[in-house]
């Protein structure tokens, strides 16, 4: 089995916890932290390429929104946060990887009701290498998707650390031989992936992705991709689509900070399009990469 230490940066992985940079294996939070006790926290994931965080402002915009929605204070101002992110990248000496930020309501005696005088929010950052060879293989060959019932709560627009339904769906998808789960609501509409946004290209060549609501996470990659598509004059519709629509699609793909426009070539074992990554998906990746500054 692969241990965390197999992927560590040359100098050893470094994590950030509440003002301190520590060896990853020694970085800890208090046992009464509300994220551990109650799932009371939010997170962000940004891709790091060439020592630079990708789509940084948009991720920080969403982080501020998630915190605002839950009434948790920003742990520090945005310039300071950006400084810590850069310190993390430098100290981990990782040119390419994934940077994780978690903010919790803090450590305080357990009570469902958040305290009137809130404790200092906990801020954690961790970084790890991304398997770029595996990502390239997914871009090249496409991935299989398995559909799972969307059993999540009513505020999927907040990026909370409460990920049980997502991980169970992903586990079921993996058991079915798929890379990602597409979550299907009670009315038969696809909401999104367990950790990605879901997209199809319909028979008219229109790119379709679910419109924003409490039912999905407003993906940062989704947002930047939509801007890139508008600029590239790609026909897009933000609306609901059913599983049947997806099965009849010309192309399908997923998006997230961990992989933009990754082609989907099968859903529940049924081939999408001609079973190979689609040309529009590849063009959308190129448009996104140019906008996000990825070479
Ligand atoms: N997941 N939908 C869900 C449910 C997600 O968890 C994610 C991101 C996305 C895509 O959002 P973005 O483009 O901002 O990464 C959509 C991250 C990568 C994760 O949980 O690891």
């Amino acid at each position: 089995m692969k241990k965390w230490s197999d992927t560590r940066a040359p100098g050893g992985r470094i994590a950030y916890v509440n003002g301190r940079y520590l060896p990853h294996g020694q970085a800890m939070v208090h046992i009464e932290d509300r994220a551990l006790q109650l799932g009371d926290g939010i997170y962000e994931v940004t891709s790091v390429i060439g020592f630079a965080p990708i789509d940084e402002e948009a991720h920080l915009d969403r982080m501020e929104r998630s915190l605002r929605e839950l009434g948790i204070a920003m742990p520090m101002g945005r310039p300071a946060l950006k400084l810590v992110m850069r310190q993390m990248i430098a100290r981990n000496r990782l040119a390419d990887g994934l940077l994780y930020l978690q903010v919790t309501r803090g450590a305080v005696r357990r009570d469902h009701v958040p305290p009137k005088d809130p404790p200092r929010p906990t801020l954690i950052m961790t970084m790890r290498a991304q398997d770029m060879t595996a990502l390239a293989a997914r871009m090249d060959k496409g991935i299989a998707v398995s559909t799972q019932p969307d059993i999540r709560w009513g505020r999927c627009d907040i990026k909370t650390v409460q990920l049980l339904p997502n991980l169970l769906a992903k586990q079921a998808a993996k058991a079915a031989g798929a890379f990602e789960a597409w979550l299907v609501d009670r009315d038969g509409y696809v909401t999104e992936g367990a950790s990605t946004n879901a997209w199809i290209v319909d028979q008219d060549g229109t790119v379709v992705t679910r419109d924003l609501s409490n039912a999905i996470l407003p993906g940062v990659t989704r947002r930047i991709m939509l801007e890139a598509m508008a600029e590239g004059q790609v026909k897009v519709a933000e609306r609901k689509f059913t599983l049947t629509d997806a099965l009849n699609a010309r192309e399908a793909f997923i998006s997230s900070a961990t992989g933009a426009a990754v082609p989907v070539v099968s859903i529940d074992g049924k081939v999408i399009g001609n079973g190979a990554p689609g040309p529009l998906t590849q063009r959308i990746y190129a448009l996104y990469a140019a906008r996000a500054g990825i070479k």
Side-chain angles (χ1 to χ4, degrees), residues 43 45 62 159 192-197 217 219-221 255-257:
Y43 76 110
V45 187
R62 185 175 62 190
K159 197 165 172 63
E192 61 183 330
S195 65
T196 58
N197 286 111
L217 187 79
V220 165
T221 320
S255 69
S256 72

Side-chain angles (χ1 to χ4, degrees), residues 135-146:
L135 178 60
R138 289 196 289 277
M139 295 300 282
D140 201 40
K141 294 199 179 74
I143 60 155
V145 153
S146 154

Side-chain angles (χ1 to χ4, degrees), residues 30-196:
H30 196 274
I31 52 168
E32 290 246 77
D33 193 281
R34 286 181 62 92
L36 174 63
Q37 296 279 348
L38 300 151
D40 190 4
I42 62 97
Y43 76 110
E44 278 298 326
V45 187
T46 71
S47 169
V48 172
I49 299 178
F51 294 105
I54 302 299
D55 301 335
E56 184 180 25
E57 298 296 341
H59 280 286
L60 295 177
D61 287 348
R62 185 175 62 190
M63 178 174 161
E64 282 180 4
R65 179 185 181 272
S66 294
L67 290 171
R68 207 167 43 240
E69 290 297 309
L70 298 179
I72 301 176
M74 270 285 273
M76 58 177 68
R78 198 183 277 216
L81 208 52
K82 287 162 86 167
L83 207 74
V84 177
M85 289 168 74
R86 270 153 195 77
Q87 278 289 319
M88 278 295 288
I89 297 167
R91 287 173 191 246
N92 279 285
R93 289 195 256 159
L94 267 178
D96 305 318
L98 295 168
L99 185 58
Y100 293 80
L101 288 77
Q102 262 107 6
V103 182
T104 84
R105 204 182 298 269
V108 65
R109 202 172 91 102
R110 189 183 187 284
D111 187 353
H112 284 66
V113 182
K116 258 217 212 93
D117 297 320
R120 181 181 65 166
T122 303
L123 171 62
I124 306 165
M125 284 193 211
T126 52
M127 196 175 172
R128 69 171 199 217
Q130 190 176 18
D131 187 341
M132 298 311 267
T133 315
L135 178 60
R138 289 196 289 277
M139 295 300 282
D140 201 40
K141 294 199 179 74
I143 60 155
V145 153
S146 154
T147 59
Q148 302 293 331
D150 193 342
I151 57 167
R152 299 174 302 162
W153 70 323
R155 289 303 305 272
C156 298
D157 56 311
I158 308 172
K159 197 165 172 63
T160 81
V161 294
Q162 307 184 107
L163 292 169
L164 265 177
N166 307 59
L167 75 87
L168 291 177
K170 205 117 177 162
Q171 185 183 42
K174 192 172 181 193
F179 177 78
E180 176 60 307
W182 271 15
L183 307 176
V184 180
D185 69 17
R186 284 198 204 136
D187 302 320
Y189 292 98
V190 174
T191 50
E192 61 183 330
S195 65
T196 58

